[in-house]
Amino acid sequence: GYENGYSNMILDTLRKNRVEALFFITGPYLKEHLDIVRRMVEEGHTVGNHTIHHKSLPTLCDKVMEEEVAGLDRAFYERFGKNMKFLRPPKGEYSERSLMVTQKLGYINLFWSFAYDDWYVNKIRGADYAYKMVINNIHNGAVVLLHAVSKDNAQALDAIIKGIRKEGYTFGKIEELIP
């Protein structure tokens, strides 16, 4: 969603390990870090919609919700000539209505099967902690949510990728699972 100085390090690690990821960005991220988003696209990563302002979708009226999602998509399309396909609702908050509204906009709402409280930028617990959290919770078909604002995640990513592979798992693109 946001940049905290680790995105290029994360992208370097993904490139080195030949892993393509799905990044969910917000409006300010697209506007302020276009170079990083361009790199994501050019290196084959999927860029998904996390709304313009990261507001809880169920709290918004349909019109505002549509603009939060479609407005970011329009801005992304203007720069890259393609639409976003996946939406991660801010804070993971959704309702039947928000799912219906965003599905009508053509989105696939994507959630995760594992996450931990890694979004607190002042709660640094170290790369070993991040590694153990992921490796201890990895499973077949896992969709792992790691926030790029986390120094721990950025520093642990290489070991996480190697550890997951050592466990016998492979990495795939979300498009391979969802047409």
Side-chain angles (χ1 to χ4, degrees), residues 34-136:
L34 186 60
D35 56 329
I36 297 173
V37 179
R38 181 172 288 110
R39 182 176 174 195
M40 291 172 184
V41 171
E42 289 174 354
E43 293 184 6
H45 302 287
T46 302
V47 178
N49 195 322
H50 202 40
T51 74
I52 295 175
H53 298 105
H54 200 265
K55 295 180 179 179
S56 175
L57 296 182
T59 67
L60 305 175
C61 69
D62 291 3
K63 182 179 178 184
V64 173
M65 185 187 320
E66 288 174 12
E67 185 52 33
E68 278 291 316
V69 175
L72 179 57
D73 189 69
R74 279 191 306 274
F76 185 80
Y77 186 87
E78 286 172 9
R79 287 155 180 87
F80 299 103
K82 58 172 125 178
N83 294 101
M84 297 168 149
K85 182 176 183 179
F86 300 99
L87 170 72
R88 185 168 78 81
K91 306 174 199 169
E93 296 175 350
Y94 67 95
S95 64
E96 287 185 27
R97 182 177 58 83
S98 71
L99 293 174
M100 184 182 69
V101 168
T102 56
Q103 184 180 25
K104 283 182 180 178
L105 291 172
Y107 277 90
I108 296 170
N109 283 263
L110 189 64
F111 296 89
W112 53 92
S113 60
F114 170 73
Y116 75 102
D117 62 341
D118 62 346
W119 55 86
Y120 296 113
V121 295
N122 295 323
K123 194 175 189 178
I124 298 171
R125 295 172 279 203
D128 287 341
Y129 180 86
Y131 173 82
K132 288 175 186 171
M133 288 299 294
V134 175
I135 295 301
N136 291 339

Side-chain angles (χ1 to χ4, degrees), residues 128-149:
D128 287 341
Y129 180 86
Y131 173 82
K132 288 175 186 171
M133 288 299 294
V134 175
I135 295 301
N136 291 339
N137 289 284
I138 202 69
H139 56 274
N140 279 332
V143 176
V144 179
L145 170 59
L146 296 174
H147 287 84
V149 296

